[in-house]
Amino acid sequence: MNDTLTDKLTAFRQETANWLEANCPASMREPVKNGFDDLYGGGRNGVFKSEDQRIWFERMRDRGWTAPTWPKAYGGGGLSNAEAKVLKEEMAKLGCRAPLWSFGLMMLGPAILHFGTEEQKQKYIREICRGEIWWCQGYSEPGAGSDLAGLQTSAVDQGDHFVVNGQKVWTSYADKADMIFCLVRTNPDVPKQRGISFLLIDMKTEGVSVRPIKLISGKSPFCETFFDNVKVPKENIVGQINDGWTIAKNLLTHERSTVGNLFGSIMPLHEYAVDAVGLENGKLADPTLRPEVARVMINSYALKFAIEQTIDMTKAGHQPGAKSSFFKYYGTELNKDRHELMLSLKGYEGLEWGESYNEGKLARDMCRTKGNSIEGGTTEVQLNIIAKHVLGLPKSK
Amino acid sequence: MALILNEEQQMLKTSAKEFLTQKAPVSALRFLRDTKDSVGYDPSLWSEMVEMGWAALTIPEEFGGMGFGYVGLGQILEESGRTLTASPLVSNLLLGASTIQMGGSAAQKQALLPAIAEGQLTLTLAFEEHSAHRPFAVSSTVEEKDGQLMLNGSKRFVLDGHVAQKLVVSAMYQGEIALFLVDAEADGVKIDRRLMMDSRNAANIQFHGVVVKAADQVGNRSTLEQVLDVARIGLAAEMLGSMQEAFERTIAYLKERVQFKVPIGSFQALQHRAAMMFSEIEVCKSMVLKALQAVDAQDTKVPVLASMVKAKVGEVIQVVTNESIQMFGGIGMTDDEEIGFFMKRARVAQQTFGDYNYHLDRFASLNGF
C-alpha cells in the first residue's frame, strides 16, 4: 500500500474513532444479553427498545453506516473495504452494537445489488439501508428441505401480475416481517432447477397468512407462511423469470459461510469449564472431561485458522474454492459438540429449563444447536457437495 | 503474517516434491526394508539433499547456513511425508541442528553448525528413557568421579541412533536436566539398533561411564523443551504430507474400483466419510502452517501450538490411514499395495515426541486447566 493511501486510512481511523466516541450512546456500547433480540431490526412498525437505540440507529443511518460498503447513491456508506474494516475495528474497540440487524442487510441486499434492476436498487436497497422494511426469507417448504429445488409453491403468470399459491416453512420472523423474498415455481414442465423464480411479496397482501412454530428449545422466530391466491405485481421479480435458482444458490453460499463463521469464534471454553467444575492441584477437577475440553478447544482453533487462511488467500488474490466448502459442516458440528460438553460440565444445573429462555439458557441453547446442522443445508447435503464438487466422486445412484 | 506460503517457500515445496517423487518414492523405502539396509536410509540421497541446501535451510547464515527458516523445512518435510522418504531430516535437523542452535555456546555453534550444513556431521538427540514419551523423567546422570565427569544411563527410541556420528544426551547434572554432546564411538557407548514397524531407524543406547567435559554441555531442560516443540511441529508437517497422500490415493481408488457394476466411490456411505476426512485434512493444513510460522517468528505461543498441532494431526492421521486400508478393502491388506506403509509410518510418527493424549494433557496444562 502506498503512503498516501496509508495516511488517508490513518486519518479516516482518527475521524471515525472521534465520531463514534461522540455519537455512540453509552448503553449501546454494552454487550448484548439476548442475542439478536437486543438489536434494532427496523421495519414499517419498527419499535426501538430505548431512546439510545433510536439515536444510535438514526445517526449511523444518516452516515450510511448501516451498510458501510454499499453505494452512497442507494443509501449506503460508500466506504472501501479497507475503510469498512477500520470502521469495524473502531466499533469493536468501543464495543458498539450493530445499529441495525436484518435479513435485508445480510441476504437480500447483496442479491439485489448483484441481480436487481436500477429501479429495484433505488427502492429496495435504500429501504434496507434505512431500516424501513423488515424482510423475511421464504425458501424451504414442507416437501422441500434438503431437496430445495423440488419446491412447489407456484406463481402463475396472469399478464400484469402473478398469482401465488403454496406454503413456506422456517420463515424466520414472518410474523413481524413487512415483505418476503421467495422462491416460487414459474414453470413446472422443465427440470426442477430451471423453473424457479425469485419473487418479492408484500406480507400485507390479501391471502398471506402466518403461523408461528415452537421449537424443542422453547420459543423461536420461525413461522409457517401460507399463500392463498396472492396477487403479486410483475415488477417484483428479481433477475430473469425461471432463473431464480442462480440467485438462490448465490444467497445460500453467503448464508452458509455466515453460519459457519458465526460459530467459528473461540469461546474461552476452559474458563467456562473451570468456572463450572473448579480446579484440583491446578487441573480441571473432572479428569474425564479435561481432555474433552482440550479437544473441543483445539478443534475451535483449527476452524479459526482455516477461516483465517481463507481470508488471507482471498486477499492475496487466490481462489479459496474448496477451502471454504467445509466451514458450514465443520462449524455447526463443532457448535453442537461444544454445547454437549458445556451441558456435561454444568451437570444438573445445566438441565434447568425454567419459565423463560434465560432461566434455562444452556439447556435451550443446546437444544437449539441441533438445528445448526439442519438449517442452511444439512450436514449430509454439505458432505454430498464436498464429495461431488471437491473430491469429484461419481454421482450416487 | 498472512497464513500462506510466500513465493520462495512455494518454489522450495515444488522442487522438493519433484525431487522426492523421482528419487525417493515409497518403493525406495520398500527396497531399504527388503534388503535389510544397514544404514536405514540412502546416504547418496542424503548427499543430494545436502547439495540442494536442505541441511543448511534452518541454520543461520553466520554459521554457514541459509537462514531460510522452519516454514521452508516444513515444506520439505511435508513432501517427504508424501513419499515416506527415509532420511535424517528429523533426527539431524529437527533435533540435532535445532539443539545446537537453541542451546549451544558460540564456540559449539561455530564448530558444529557449518559441519551439519555441509553434510559432514550427523547428530541426533537421545532423550527418551520410558515406554512412552516422558522427556522430563530423566534417570541418566552426569556425575564427577575421580576428577572426571561421567555419563551413565540408558536411552530408548533414539532416532537414527545407530548411524548418527554424535549424540546429544539428556542427563541429570547438578540436580537439573542438562544436555551433553557425546561422540557415538566414545568408550562406554553401546548401541542396539531396533527395527520399527515403519522401517525407519531407532536405537536403544546404553552409556557406561562415558567421559564428558563440562564444555560439552549444550543447554538444559528449557533447551530440550524448545527443541521438542520445534520437532513436534516439524514432524506434524511430515504427517500432514503422509495423510494427504494416503487420502488422495484412496480417493483415486474409490473412483477406479468397480463393484455392483459401479465405482465404489458412488456410494454415499463412503462419500460422506471421504468428505469428513477432507475437512479434517484442510484444518490440519492451516494449523501446521500457523505453527511453522510461529517457530520462525519466535512467538510465545509456540508451546501451545506445538501441542495443538501434534494432537490434531495425530488424531486425523489415525483416522485417515485406517480408513484408507478399509476403503482399499482386501488389496489394502496386502504388502504389495503401498497404502499400508502409510499406516505403519503414521503409528510411529504419532507416538514420536508425544501422542494425542500426551498433547491434550499438555495443552490443558499450558492453558492453566
Side-chain angles (χ1 to χ4, degrees), chain A residues 7-269:
Chain A
D7 290 348
K8 263 181 85 180
L9 263 190
T10 312
F12 176 76
R13 185 181 292 279
Q14 195 51 54
E15 273 167 41
T16 304
N18 293 344
W19 187 87
L20 289 171
E21 185 56 56
N23 288 282
C24 184
S27 70
M28 291 296 107
R29 301 182 194 187
E30 289 164 12
V32 294
K33 294 189 194 78
N34 306 298
F36 300 133
D37 286 351
D38 282 358
L39 301 176
Y40 180 58
R44 287 178 192 144
N45 307 311
V47 178
F48 294 103
K49 296 210 173 53
S50 67
E51 186 58 10
D52 280 353
Q53 194 182 54
R54 185 187 63 79
I55 293 170
W56 175 229
F57 165 72
E58 288 177 356
R59 286 176 180 166
M60 286 293 274
R61 176 198 65 193
D62 293 345
R63 286 181 88 86
W65 283 1
T66 51
T69 58
W70 292 2
K72 268 195 167 156
Y74 309 132
L79 299 188
S80 67
N81 286 336
E83 288 169 332
K85 188 166 166 262
V86 167
L87 172 60
K88 207 172 153 186
E89 286 165 0
E90 292 305 316
M91 283 177 72
K93 268 187 211 161
L94 293 183
C96 305
R97 295 180 179 183
L100 177 67
W101 177 82
S102 77
F103 283 165
L105 280 175
M106 293 199 315
M107 306 181 73
L108 180 64
I112 289 191
L113 282 170
H114 194 278
F115 298 97
T117 62
E118 183 58 29
E119 289 73 27
Q120 286 171 335
K121 290 179 193 170
Q122 287 290 354
K123 175 173 165 55
Y124 297 120
I125 296 296
R126 185 171 305 278
E127 286 174 351
I128 290 169
C129 292
R130 299 181 59 81
E132 289 169 352
I133 296 290
W134 185 313
W135 284 95
C136 65
Q137 172 187 265
Y139 276 19
S140 301
E141 296 179 5
S146 288
D147 179 18
L148 182 60
L151 58 93
Q152 304 276 329
T153 296
S154 67
V156 177
D157 194 336
Q158 299 285 2
D160 64 337
H161 65 275
F162 292 105
V163 171
V164 178
N165 278 289
Q167 180 190 348
K168 293 288 173 185
V169 70
W170 309 121
T171 44
S172 310
Y173 299 105
D175 51 344
K176 292 180 181 160
D178 305 308
M179 299 276 294
I180 185 168
F181 54 97
C182 257
L183 293 178
V184 292
R185 181 150 309 284
T186 35
N187 188 346
D189 303 321
V190 289
K192 56 188 179 181
Q193 283 90 348
R194 287 191 229 148
I196 294 170
S197 298
F198 194 94
L199 198 60
L200 311 175
I201 303 173
D202 195 315
M203 297 293 280
K204 293 281 177 299
T205 324
E206 204 184 320
V208 179
S209 57
V210 173
R211 196 174 72 86
I213 299 171
K214 184 177 172 181
L215 291 189
I216 53 176
S217 51
K219 72 169 193 163
S220 89
F222 293 117
C223 300
E224 289 177 287
T225 302
F226 302 89
F227 302 92
D228 183 15
N229 286 319
V230 177
K231 278 173 75 172
V232 183
K234 270 286 189 56
E235 68 261 26
N236 282 19
I237 202 162
V238 180
Q240 298 300 308
I241 191 159
N242 294 325
D243 194 29
W245 190 244
T246 313
I247 304 173
K249 274 197 299 187
N250 182 289
L251 258 170
L252 270 181
T253 321
H254 196 73
E255 180 184 358
R256 279 169 191 165
S257 62
T258 319
V259 172
N261 272 322
L262 216 54
F263 302 116
S265 65
I266 294 183
M267 265 186 45
L269 188 60

Side-chain angles (χ1 to χ4, degrees), chain B residues 217-233:
Chain B
Q217 189 182 338
V218 276
N220 48 29
R221 183 196 161 108
S222 99
T223 313
L224 180 59
E225 190 144 24
Q226 276 181 58
V227 170
L228 284 175
D229 277 334
V230 170
R232 285 158 181 153
I233 293 169

Side-chain angles (χ1 to χ4, degrees), chain B residues 209-280:
Chain B
V210 179
V211 177
V212 293
K213 295 195 291 289
D216 289 335
Q217 189 182 338
V218 276
N220 48 29
R221 183 196 161 108
S222 99
T223 313
L224 180 59
E225 190 144 24
Q226 276 181 58
V227 170
L228 284 175
D229 277 334
V230 170
R232 285 158 181 153
I233 293 169
L235 185 60
E238 186 203 299
M239 294 161 82
L240 173 66
S242 296
M243 70 167 79
Q244 288 178 83
E245 182 69 22
F247 179 68
E248 286 164 20
R249 289 178 180 217
T250 305
I251 294 300
Y253 188 74
L254 293 183
K255 292 177 185 175
E256 162 198 315
R257 168 74 173 164
V258 172
Q259 284 289 275
F260 308 102
K261 295 181 178 160
V262 292
I264 59 172
S266 63
F267 298 131
Q268 211 174 40
L270 300 183
Q271 288 184 346
H272 283 190
R273 278 150 62 192
M276 286 179 192
M277 283 191 274
F278 165 81
S279 311
E280 292 292 354

